[in-house]
Amino acid sequence: DQQVKQNSPSLSVQEGRISILNCDYTNSMFDYFLWYKKYPAEGPTFLISISSIKDKNEDGRFTVFLNKSAKHLSLHIVPSQPGDSAVYFCAAKLGGYGNKLVFGAGTILRVKS
Amino acid sequence: EPEVTQTPSHQVTQMGQEVILRCVPISNHLYFYWYRQILGQKVEFLVSFYNNEISEKSEIFDDQFSVERPDGSNFTLKIRSTKLEDSAMYFCASSEALGGYEQYFGPGTRLTVT
């Protein structure tokens, strides 16, 4: 199942700089996209989401951009902090009744101080 | 802040045994979900549940699996006869109805089948 892809297994960023995490999808029936953050031995924590009818959503240090024509979304974290170090998952929801989420494989973000 | 809770945090069972994983979703949420993550693999959807019935299930969710909301607060996942390949982290999640697509996850139950 390769419908949601996060091609970068890891990313290392200096504290205070921008972190950009990328996600690509193949299914044009996805109507909602979400980013989750996960620490070891914990469940995914919801960060930010975006509807397919928008191209940008911002919440504090986190901004998600959606490019529907390219089937690409990205999460920007500015400024990056050491506490942001975690695994970040992109997830997409198929239109329909069940609200099933399809997850990417995740990107490990390391923010160096 | 309201959160999803899950018990137990770790369950060890022998192949062929039945297990029940328990979850308490966020109290005003109406949609409930189970996902699992096998070590080194993606988080995978198992089932969604709304209005006391399954609204969607994956091909993984075969006859060995069942879900139940036995009372107003708990949501359970039962595996009738566990297999080695059922070893995984199992996450419960919940979301509001009416367009609340953000799903909030519990801390997970690590299931080890020996």
Side-chain angles (χ1 to χ4, degrees), chain A residues 1 11 20 22 31 34-35 39 48 51 53 58 98 107 111:
Chain A
D1 181 1
L11 174 68
I20 300 176
N22 293 303
D31 64 356
L34 307 92
W35 283 95
Y39 295 116
I48 192 168
S51 166
I53 62 172
E58 193 170 351
T107 297
V111 181

Side-chain angles (χ1 to χ4, degrees), chain B residues 1-8 21-26 34 73-75 91-94 104-109:
Chain B
E1 185 174 323
E3 58 182 20
V4 177
T5 60
Q6 290 185 243
T7 54
L21 310 183
R22 291 182 167 81
C23 168
V24 179
I26 294 172
W34 285 100
S73 59
N74 289 282
F75 180 51
F91 297 107
C92 174
S94 68
Y104 295 87
F105 285 74
T109 293

